Amino acid sequence: MRKRKSLMSLQMTIAVFACMIVAAALMFTDLMIGNNLSERAENDAKEESLEIARVVANTPLIIAALNGSEDQNDIQPFIEKILQVSNVRFITVLDMHRIRKSHPNREMINTYYEENDIAPSLEGKETVSVNKGSLGTSLRVFVPVFTADQRQVGAVMVGIMIEHVQEEIANSRAGIYAGVGVGMLVGILGSLVLARKIKKILFGLEPEEIAKLYEERSAMLHSVREGILAVDKDSYVTMVNDEALRLFGQAGIYGEPEGLKVDEYIPNTRLQNVLDTGNAELDQEQDINGIIILTNRVPVIVNNRIVGAIATFRDKTEMKNMAEKIIGVSIYAEALRAQTHEFMNKLHVIQGMVCMKYYDQLSHYINEVAKNYQSEVGAVIRKIRDPVLAGFIFGKLSMARAAGVTMTIKQDSFLPEAAEDEAVHELITIIGNLLNNALEALKDSSIKEIKLGIFWENDILTVEVNDTGPGIEKERQADIFLRGYSTKGLERGMGLFLVKQNLERLGGQIAVISEKGNGTLFRVIVPYWSKEENFD
């Protein structure tokens, strides 16, 4: 099911979320600072009002006037002077009967104060209240007035209008809002830069694309037939696929290696050497607890720095079997190609004789070809009961004729049909390589003959390939089965090596009988089980 594409790109998503986070943080900061400023502004107003009220309450003129020893009319002028040098809205002096002795509105002097918020101060206590009076709603503080002998003679009320306090708070908040605005702008710009940086790191990919790449990479790594293991620059295993775990399991190494040091998990690994030198090691053999693998180790280089290494590997035995099957099929195909070529030549002869209307000679030619073909096919089928192997040998006969070589099958040769198809494949590889080797040996010989003998008795098969070539010197006979050994040029020397490998796997053996100038006989002895119980 196709994943639904996101409405916003990764860059936009990061920018939006980062801006939201910055905005939320700034709003929370504004809330906290704003509340703190409001509380501080109110406290400052209270403290200022209290200080002024205390100063007025302790002024000798105010005490004497309320005590009756001074003229009470002197109170208003004194209070007006204080109002001019202070930030408070009003200062009212009251006697013990709540009669105002001063007021910003002179008409209110000598009037009764009706509000009950003054009651605690007339009982000798300092108090604070918010109340609505003749001038509007205000923050009021009350301080009692005492004589020298601690006798209360009145109270002082100092007020600041609430609107003034709120204006101070608003002025303080203006600076906060400016800071929040600048913070938001910086946050938005930073978010955009961060989003672009992340986008660049991710090679411009969106989350859906990254997830798809990861899923495809994981499926690909776990589906390949090669084991893959990756380590970081500190040689810790970062990735291993299923095939690698299977091969490790065959070697008796179990558990999940990711997160472990590679040399703690795999014995005699050379990945650390690749990390140290930065040099790739290709087509190397490695023995892991008796399992031989062919491995390639390469460093991972990013920006001219080694950031890790990767090893890819396969079981050598599996690769060898696959190579032998390919070579066997190639040999079989080569034999069929030679046979096809031979028949094409015959068809060209027939076509030419038809065009020239040599019908009598054509009839004789076709009869001879059919007679020889039936004779040859009949001889092969009688001696080789397995149809696949019989077809293969028949193709080799055609190949030999094309090369000018006389190839015959020994009279007493016989091979029943194999009990297992795999045995036929092995025989095609063995016999095909021996015959190819014999054909190569006869290229420069004056007498070009090959005799093939295939004998089976008591579940033992003997194959003999005898040629009239130049022979093999005794001191070289031990080397001809080595991988890559050849006197025929570069990229050769695999045929007899594969014959030897197949025989070792089947529990067979091979012998070479040859002398310089007297031809060569290869004799192969190998176990072979028949599909048939009895033979006519």
Side-chain angles (χ1 to χ4, degrees), residues 385 414 416-419 456 529-536:
R385 295 288 183 88
F414 176 74
E417 189 173 356
W456 178 82
W529 288 271
S530 169
K531 185 177 182 180
E532 304 174 19
E533 293 290 337
N534 302 307
F535 302 97
D536 296 333

Side-chain angles (χ1 to χ4, degrees), residues 332-343:
Y332 191 78
E334 185 180 2
L336 294 178
R337 191 162 47 246
Q339 186 177 3
T340 302
H341 181 72
E342 182 182 19
F343 276 98

Side-chain angles (χ1 to χ4, degrees), residues 226-229 294-298 310-314:
E226 283 193 345
I228 302 175
L229 182 140
L294 289 177
T295 179
N296 294 308
R297 311 179 189 97
V298 295
I310 294 178
T312 60
F313 46 90
R314 289 199 68 172

Side-chain angles (χ1 to χ4, degrees), residues 262-283:
V262 67
D263 52 2
E264 296 175 357
Y265 186 75
I266 304 172
N268 65 359
T269 179
R270 288 182 56 82
L271 279 174
Q272 184 61 53
N273 186 63
V274 173
L275 289 172
D276 295 337
T277 64
N279 298 324
E281 298 181 357
L282 306 177
D283 301 323

